[in-house]
Amino acid sequence: MGLRVSVLGQLTVTDGAGAVLPAGELPRRARQVLAVLAARHDRIQSKDALADAVWGEDLPGNHAGALEHYVSVIRRRLQPQGSPANWFIVTRSGGYLFDTGRACLDLADLRQLLRKLDSLPPGEQRLPVHEQILELARELPFPEDPYADWADPVRAEVSVAAVNALLKLADAALAQDAPRSLRLAQEAIELNPFLESSYQAAMTAAVAMGRPDDALRIFERCRQVLDSELGVAPSAELAQIKREVLASRSTEAPPPAPPPVAAPAPHVPVVPSERFLGRVAEIRLMLEPETPPVVHIVGPSGTGKSAFLTELGRHAPGRVGIGDAGPAVGVLRLAWLRSALTDLDAKPEAIEAVERAQPDQPLDQAALELIATTFDRAEQVYLAVDDARDLDAASVAELAWLSRHCPALRLVLAYEYPSQIAGRPVAGLGTPVVLRLSPLTAEELAPLGDPGLRELTGGIPALVAVARRSHEVASAVAMQIARRRTEWMPSLAWEVLRVTAVLGDLGAAELATLTGQPVTDVLAAVDALVHACLLSEGPNGQVGHASTLVREAVAAQVSAATGIYLRKQLAAAS
């Protein structure tokens, strides 16, 4: 086959000898006809459909005749010695098609590679295919028609393929060649500046290169793009990476010159924030062959729900897709589904079906059936939704349809409290299994080699991650945890936290005296705080802070005068 047509980037056509043919000299409408047929290659396009793509509402009086003229021009200029037997623009059934059996087309080659990728199991054997995809997809197609409706889906398809290849290659290069990993991730950002996984890959590579300032600049660029263009904040996962970079940078200091004789320094255990601890029983339950079709993962802020979902992905590689429904509003209604499908290496057509969806309309049957092919597997596949309480009615209906029609699919819904979903659409999916992530036990924290960690953190994973970092970082995280876990409680709950932070363990009667509130109200606040794992109960009915970090952070907000007054009140009451 001699003729080769390239539409990825500027339109070019070469003959069998590699000579460039005068495609650029074609009339503009002729180039558009060729581009539309290339975008829809190997599919017959009726003259009406073709004319609608080329002219839109400005149809000429005799659009069929005009199309015949432009097809004739294409054939004369690009195949001057051709005949109906070898023309690559074929007349068939009253319309036209681009026949890739008669001319090579780079877009068709790309789609063939994507199909090949779908047939390969996860692993290094996919990397050469990603390299080939990247070679073809570095430039988007049809730059001459940047606003054409017919070109948008193809551009999105190519962009998704390129970004996915860049990120897979960046991840593979990270351990051995971090600079290349960073370059690839930055290229992905340029192609799609709204995809957080690209920024995450770039930040991770910058950290691996020992360039924390670059990682922070990458985060700030992401924050500005998302805020100015979409009106949303970076995800909690990306923000956590930033916090870790800031925390590690704050502890960096140039090593002092060693003295002539140095005494051995005491060992201070450092808690690696990326290490996953505990949750063994919960992970095993999720991986059982007969896992229920819907599982709810609940726990207050800082419990590690997002980390749990990530850990599940490590135990079931290639079978867990994670999306965050928190920012899923307006045009981002299905952003969580797109993220999950990308994690699962879904077919480009399935991702394209999500991207085409209108924000105010549910997915249609055809789109759902296309997406369902992602979950057509022999093993269980997990669709995990973080911040699932915010799912709208349409998303819940779509999940219900997928759950009914995909036997291997398991829905994993993560949010803070079961009471949050009362009256919300997500409650319609049912609650056959609700796994509450409790604080980590002393036994689960034992591998870190720090016996005081349980008392310091109360077993709250978010505090475990920062417990041995700078005081400012640990205190800030502890205060954030306390605020988030009490934001739904009455104001009395915060007052109980303040009083116990200053005075230590107290009984219900003492708390009632100190707060001036009825014992029944105090007990209700105590119950809520114990349930939120901020307070713990002693054997004599007294309650006190479960975490030293939280207690110290809250106590720091209480003035010395208030502390003296509270102690005098307590002494008078006893």
Side-chain angles (χ1 to χ4, degrees):
M1 190 188 304
L3 209 63
R4 180 167 185 81
V5 180
S6 298
V7 295
L8 299 173
Q10 293 293 333
L11 172 66
T12 58
V13 182
T14 56
D15 63 16
V20 178
L21 300 176
E25 299 174 10
L26 291 169
R28 180 172 179 274
R29 291 298 188 195
R31 294 197 301 274
Q32 286 180 315
V33 169
L34 177 56
V36 174
L37 290 172
R40 304 170 180 178
H41 62 82
D42 298 313
R43 289 177 289 163
I44 299 172
Q45 300 300 304
S46 69
K47 291 180 180 178
D48 287 344
L50 190 53
D52 182 63
V54 173
W55 284 284
E57 296 179 356
D58 299 323
L59 283 175
N62 181 12
H63 64 269
L67 283 175
E68 291 169 3
H69 166 72
Y70 289 128
V71 169
S72 177
V73 170
I74 294 169
R75 288 167 172 167
R76 288 201 310 272
R77 298 281 183 88
L78 301 183
Q79 292 181 289
Q81 308 301 320
S83 67
N86 63 0
W87 282 335
F88 71 93
I89 302 297
V90 179
T91 303
R92 186 171 298 167
S93 302
Y96 301 102
L97 68 80
F98 187 119
D99 188 347
T100 56
R102 299 183 178 189
C104 294
L105 176 65
D106 57 354
L107 180 60
D109 294 343
L110 175 64
R111 287 169 170 164
Q112 179 61 35
L113 287 171
L114 292 172
R115 287 191 291 270
K116 179 180 180 181
L117 197 64
D118 288 339
S119 67
L120 294 175
E124 292 186 0
Q125 57 188 311
R126 297 167 70 97
L127 295 179
V129 182
H130 283 302
E131 294 278 13
Q132 292 175 280
I133 289 172
L134 193 56
E135 284 299 316
L136 287 171
R138 284 190 182 274
E139 293 187 76
L140 296 180
F142 319 120
E144 196 174 328
D145 294 287
Y147 306 111
D149 291 341
W150 61 266
D152 283 343
V154 189
R155 270 194 288 268
E157 174 188 357
V158 174
S159 176
V160 168
V163 169
N164 186 50
L166 286 164
L167 294 180
K168 295 295 185 185
L169 294 170
D171 182 63
L174 181 62
Q176 302 297 326
D177 191 351
R180 179 172 187 255
S181 179
L182 179 58
R183 289 194 302 272
L184 292 167
Q186 288 174 325
E187 192 172 341
I189 292 172
E190 295 306 317
L191 275 176
N192 186 345
F194 306 113
L195 191 63
E196 286 192 64
S197 53
S198 302
Y199 294 98
Q200 182 174 335
M203 289 178 70
T204 303
V207 170
M209 294 170 64
R211 290 161 54 179
D213 289 345
D214 285 349
L216 295 176
R217 280 192 286 270
I218 292 164
F219 177 88
E220 183 58 22
R221 177 184 176 187
C222 175
R223 188 195 66 76
Q224 291 176 355
V225 168
L226 295 182
D227 180 65
S228 61
E229 298 295 332
L230 303 177
V232 299
S235 67
E237 186 175 6
L238 207 64
Q240 176 64 23
I241 296 176
K242 176 192 175 183
R243 287 193 293 270
E244 291 173 2
V245 172
L246 286 170
S248 65
R249 193 176 63 165
S250 70
T251 59
E252 290 176 358
V261 179
H267 172 67
V268 178
V270 176
V271 179
S273 60
E274 70 277 4
R275 184 167 184 176
F276 189 85
L277 300 167
R279 316 303 190 208
V280 174
E282 292 87 347
I283 290 289
R284 284 177 178 169
L285 176 63
M286 294 299 304
L287 296 174
E288 287 179 357
E290 298 304 321
T291 300
V294 182
V295 176
H296 296 247
I297 307 296
V298 301
S301 176
T303 304
K305 298 181 293 296
S306 299
F308 179 86
L309 298 180
T310 302
E311 181 70 2
L312 178 62
R314 192 176 71 83
H315 285 270
R319 296 192 285 124
V320 179
I322 305 172
D324 186 348
V329 295
V331 296
L332 298 177
R333 181 180 83 78
L334 291 171
W336 61 271
L337 179 56
R338 187 189 184 286
S339 298
L341 291 176
T342 301
D343 286 347
L344 291 166
D345 285 329
K347 295 178 181 178
E349 307 93 270
I351 296 175
E352 182 183 322
V354 174
E355 292 176 337
R356 284 199 310 265
Q358 297 300 312
D360 56 347
Q361 296 179 6
L363 293 169
D364 59 26
Q365 181 85 5
L368 287 170
E369 289 176 352
L370 190 57
I371 293 167
T373 61
T374 308
F375 314 119
D376 184 15
R377 309 191 185 189
E379 295 180 288
Q380 289 179 175
V381 58
Y382 304 85
L383 181 54
V385 188
D386 215 347
D387 283 334
R389 68 181 182 277
D390 294 318
L391 287 170
D392 63 357
S395 297
V396 169
E398 289 150 1
L399 283 174
W401 188 96
L402 291 170
S403 182
R404 287 196 305 271
H405 291 82
C406 304
L409 177 61
R410 300 294 180 266
L411 302 180
V412 187
L413 310 173
Y415 51 92
E416 292 186 352
Y417 298 104
S419 59
Q420 286 183 321
I421 68 169
R424 289 177 178 255
V426 71
L429 292 171
T431 54
V433 171
V434 178
L435 294 179
R436 177 179 167 84
L437 300 185
S438 302
L440 298 170
T441 65
E443 290 75 15
E444 290 170 329
L445 294 172
L448 297 180
D450 185 352
L453 199 57
R454 181 64 174 78
E455 181 180 351
L456 187 66
T457 65
I460 298 173
L463 293 181
V464 173
V466 298
R468 296 307 184 187
R469 299 197 186 279
S470 69
H471 171 73
E472 292 78 13
V473 170
S475 182
V477 173
M479 180 56 72
Q480 174 71 1
I481 293 294
R483 290 291 188 189
R484 285 289 304 275
R485 292 191 175 198
T486 58
E487 62 186 0
W488 59 275
M489 301 180 193
S491 58
L492 177 58
W494 188 258
E495 185 61 21
V496 170
L497 270 189
R498 290 175 74 248
V499 171
T500 51
V502 174
L503 302 178
D505 292 1
L506 296 168
E510 294 170 313
L511 286 168
T513 300
L514 293 167
T515 61
Q517 299 295 320
V519 172
T520 52
D521 290 352
V522 168
L523 288 173
V526 167
D527 286 346
L529 291 166
V530 170
H531 184 72
C533 302
L534 291 173
L535 293 185
S536 60
E537 297 180 272
N540 57 357
Q542 291 186 318
V543 293
H545 278 260
S547 160
T548 304
L549 278 175
V550 175
R551 178 176 60 77
E552 291 175 350
V554 174
Q557 306 297 312
V558 181
S559 68
T562 300
I564 293 171
Y565 174 75
L566 288 172
R567 290 186 183 93
K568 287 182 177 179
Q569 268 196 309
L570 181 61
S574 58

